[in-house]
Amino acid sequence: MSPRRAAALGDDGRSLRDHLITTAARLIAERGTAGLTVRAIAREAGVSDGVLYNHFEDKEELLALALHAHAHTVAAALGDPPAPGAGTVAANLRAHLVLGLALHEGILPALAGLVGQPKVLARFAGAEHGAPHWRDRLHAYLTAERDLGRLSPSADVEAATAFLVGVCHEAVLTQIFTGARPAPPDIDALIDTLLSGIGP
């Protein structure tokens, strides 16, 4: 390992690849992805520009992995949603939706900067990221509640998941494309509407 790489890595035991992902994720959290360059990432990481291409296929791969790391950090800070069978289904769904909205808002600045970078978005969508996506956790929660008999046996879990995910996406897309922060949704009314269709 060269002295330059050793100095960049410090003593935390991370590989240079992980160091670069962590650095890019921190820059995304601080500045978003708009205008984020390989040079800026390399400078912040304490390595030369070319080092990045020894560890990633291209800038798009690095940004996709860094965006997943950023999203994971945001999600970890929000905590876990309620488990199936605990509390009431209405309160649990409300908590799942509040978490989903906060997660989307937390990664909004990064997503806004990627609107003109379809290659990064494609890599982000296809990258392995190690933790279940919020949508998948929501789907699993609804499925478990149906299996416990707390939702109708005929409840369309896929449609219910799409409904709640759509609420989050609408808020994100409105802000990305108009620059205006939308009015917060009436979460209780949304949950009541959903449960009127899938409740026991």
Side-chain angles (χ1 to χ4, degrees):
M1 178 180 286
S2 70
R4 183 174 178 82
R5 287 178 63 189
L9 285 174
D11 298 322
D12 60 9
R14 286 181 297 171
S15 69
L16 183 53
R17 178 181 168 89
D18 288 342
H19 173 63
L20 293 168
I21 292 170
T22 301
T23 300
R26 181 167 44 79
L27 290 175
I28 287 172
E30 293 171 359
R31 311 176 191 176
T33 52
L36 184 58
T37 64
V38 166
R39 176 167 292 179
I41 296 168
R43 185 173 294 128
E44 190 71 19
V47 299
S48 63
D49 298 4
V51 168
L52 275 71
Y53 296 104
N54 294 331
H55 297 274
F56 304 95
E57 184 177 330
D58 48 31
K59 174 187 173 184
E60 286 77 16
E61 181 188 13
L62 171 56
L63 285 180
L65 292 171
L67 186 57
H68 273 299
H70 170 59
H72 180 72
T73 298
V74 171
L78 294 172
D80 292 324
T88 67
V89 174
N92 292 347
L93 285 175
R94 187 181 200 288
H96 273 271
L97 183 53
V98 167
L99 189 151
L101 288 164
L103 177 62
H104 282 74
E105 184 174 349
I107 64 172
L108 174 63
L111 294 175
L114 295 176
V115 170
Q117 299 186 55
K119 290 182 181 178
V120 178
L121 289 172
R123 290 286 185 88
F124 175 67
E128 292 293 328
H129 48 88
H133 189 279
W134 170 75
R135 183 201 184 284
D136 297 332
R137 295 177 77 179
L138 174 62
H139 188 277
Y141 167 79
L142 288 165
T143 301
E145 291 288 25
R146 184 183 62 191
D147 293 346
L148 289 169
R150 300 201 330 154
L151 294 176
S152 168
S154 61
D156 187 338
V157 169
E158 190 62 39
T161 302
F163 174 78
L164 294 176
V165 170
V167 172
C168 297
H169 286 181
E170 180 183 24
V172 170
L173 293 175
T174 298
Q175 193 162 346
I176 287 175
F177 291 115
T178 69
R181 189 181 185 93
D186 185 338
I187 293 174
D188 290 330
L190 288 167
I191 298 305
D192 287 348
T193 299
L194 178 63
L195 287 176
S196 70
I198 65 172

